[in-house]
Every structure is written in C-alpha cells, then in structure tokens.
Amino acid sequence: MKNQKKINHRSFFFLISFFFLTSLFSIKTLKKVYIHDIRISGSELFSQNDLVKNSSLNFPIRLIFVETNLLEKELKQNLSLKYVSVNRELFPFGLKVHINSRIPIAYGERILNNEKILGFIDKDGIFINKQNVNEKNLNKLTIQVFGWKEKFKKILSEIFIAMENYNLEIVKITFSSDGFLTVEEKDLRTIFLGFKPNLIKHQLQIINNLKNEFNKNSFSKKIDNIDLTNPDKPKIKVFKP
C-alpha cells in the first residue's frame, strides 16, 4: 500500500513537471524575438541590423513563426555568404545565426540595370558585393574579372582551379556583353577563348602547354595574342619586327 502511494506521488510529480515544462516551452515559443535576441557567430563583419535588413521577416516576430529555412536562403543570397545556419533557441532565448563568409580572390565588375557594380569574386566564381567583404588582405588580389554574370560562375571556377593546378598567371578575365571570353596571361598576353564554355578545360590545358613550351626558348616575349576559339587550330599572332 505504501509502495502504491509512492508510485502515485511520483506519477503526480512527473505529470506536474511535464505540464510545467510544456507550458514554459509554449510560452517561450510565443515570445517575440527582437533584434537584440539575435546572436551571430563565425563572422564579425555582419551586425544584427544587417541580418534584419536583408530578411523579409518583420522583427519583432514570435519565435515560433520564424521560418529558419527562408531566413537562411535570404541571408545567403543577399549577403553573398558561403554558408549560414539559423536555429531557434529557448535557453538562451532567441535566434542563433552561424555565418561563413566567402573569401575574395579577384576584383569583380558586373553590369546590373545598365549600371557598373564593383565587388569581388571568390574561388567558386560567385560575385560578392563590396559591403559584404572583409577588407583585410584585399591588397594581395592580382586578378580582375569584368562582365560577370551568374551563368559565368562555373567557367570562372574552372579558370581558378587551373591556376592552382597549372603554371598560369591569369591577371584579367573579360566577358563581353554577348558572352565572348578573353583572358590575359602574364607571359602569353591576350588569349581569345570565345563563346563555348564546354571547351574551357581543353583550352586551359592548351594554354598551360603553350606557356611551358614557349618559356623554354623565350618565345612568349614575341607573342601579341593567341586565338583559341577553335582549340584544335590555335592561331598565334606575334609582334612585327
């Protein structure tokens, strides 16, 4: 009988505790999140106000109504982020936002609504707006990209990979308004690559081979430009004596 009473007391205690915790969680999730309830980790570049300004959510907003997937997508797009995660937390209360910024490896320029926008490019070929970049180490950048568009990011990534794997020193990458690609290499100078992005890997291999071969006899000093729009039939123009 005593054991039964103990069991009943325990059950009652657990029920009361469960009810209390459930009520507490419910109250917490209905509490409004204000700007000061946002905690940022991973980057010192962005403030709480930056996150709010680049979101479609209207703060203050009840915690339960925060769409974390939407917020992650918007922040990644609007702030040119490599990675972002947003978690709703009760203890401590608020939103925990972890950010990984993109690291620029080139200066960039794009045209948007007939206006030139200056920024930077990362190794994935992604354009980063100037205000979304940490200015530290920008003086080390030696590559310029002109005419950036979303559809060119894969080509740019291939070029940057080739620069890591080959002995290439490409200093300028230009896409014309209709998509014609031209690059400038430190030794080989102007190289025309054309309109066909599916040829880029083959073209970069040829550029590497030409540079290695020409550097053996200093022939690269005589080159004016190279036409690789048809990589099977390279055309090399030299300076006239």
Side-chain angles (χ1 to χ4, degrees):
M1 198 70 174
K2 288 181 179 180
N3 288 337
Q4 185 65 37
K5 286 182 179 180
K6 285 182 180 180
I7 292 173
N8 289 337
H9 283 306
R10 286 177 183 172
S11 299
F12 179 75
F13 174 76
F14 285 131
L15 284 173
I16 292 297
S17 299
F18 178 76
F19 177 77
F20 174 77
L21 289 173
T22 303
S23 300
L24 181 60
F25 286 143
S26 298
I27 293 170
K28 280 279 191 178
T29 56
L30 291 173
K31 186 179 176 183
K32 287 186 177 181
V33 178
Y34 288 83
I35 295 179
H36 63 261
D37 295 317
I38 301 174
R39 298 184 303 281
I40 304 171
S41 63
S43 173
E44 297 179 356
L45 182 61
F46 303 104
S47 68
Q48 296 162 319
N49 284 324
D50 290 327
L51 270 56
V52 173
K53 287 178 183 177
N54 286 277
S55 163
S56 63
L57 299 180
N58 294 316
F59 288 83
I61 182 174
R62 299 192 188 280
L63 183 64
I64 196 172
F65 294 141
V66 176
E67 299 179 60
T68 55
N69 290 337
L70 172 63
L71 187 53
E72 288 172 353
K73 183 178 179 180
E74 290 179 334
L75 294 178
K76 186 174 182 180
Q77 177 68 32
N78 297 336
L79 297 176
S80 308
L81 300 175
K82 188 173 184 64
Y83 172 81
V84 57
S85 68
V86 180
N87 292 298
R88 292 177 291 195
E89 294 191 340
L90 299 179
F91 305 101
F93 176 81
L95 292 176
K96 183 178 180 181
V97 182
H98 183 75
I99 289 172
N100 282 349
S101 301
R102 293 188 179 276
I103 300 174
I105 64 170
Y107 293 102
E109 178 186 285
R110 66 184 298 193
I111 306 296
L112 188 63
N113 299 324
N114 295 321
E115 181 184 353
K116 286 184 180 180
I117 299 176
L118 302 179
F120 302 90
I121 312 292
D122 82 336
K123 68 177 183 178
D124 297 320
I126 302 295
F127 188 90
I128 315 169
N129 291 324
K130 286 174 64 176
Q131 66 269 24
N132 298 331
V133 168
N134 192 328
E135 295 184 2
K136 187 178 180 181
N137 297 327
L138 289 182
N139 59 329
K140 296 180 180 180
L141 303 184
T142 59
I143 311 168
Q144 294 177 301
V145 178
F146 296 93
W148 183 94
K149 290 182 181 178
E150 184 79 20
K151 63 181 179 181
F152 298 144
K153 61 185 183 182
K154 186 175 180 181
I155 301 174
L156 287 169
S157 178
E158 293 288 355
I159 293 173
F160 296 146
I161 290 171
M163 291 179 67
E164 290 182 357
N165 295 335
Y166 300 145
N167 183 32
L168 299 180
E169 295 180 74
I170 294 174
V171 295
K172 187 176 179 181
I173 303 168
T174 304
F175 296 95
S176 68
S177 58
D178 56 359
F180 189 95
L181 174 60
T182 304
V183 301
E184 288 188 20
E185 207 277 337
K186 185 178 178 182
D187 295 323
L188 301 180
R189 297 181 177 82
T190 302
I191 306 170
F192 303 113
L193 298 179
F195 294 104
K196 299 178 180 179
N198 59 306
L199 297 177
I200 190 65
K201 286 186 178 180
H202 184 35
Q203 290 169 323
L204 290 167
Q205 288 175 343
I206 293 174
I207 293 172
N208 182 59
N209 293 339
L210 288 174
K211 179 166 182 175
N212 290 335
E213 190 63 32
F214 291 162
N215 280 350
K216 292 177 182 178
N217 50 29
S218 299
F219 183 76
S220 60
K221 295 179 181 180
K222 304 176 183 178
I223 295 173
D224 182 15
N225 63 67
I226 300 173
D227 187 340
L228 289 180
T229 51
N230 181 353
D232 294 326
K233 296 180 179 180
K235 298 177 183 178
I236 302 173
K237 182 179 178 181
V238 298
F239 290 110
K240 293 181 180 180

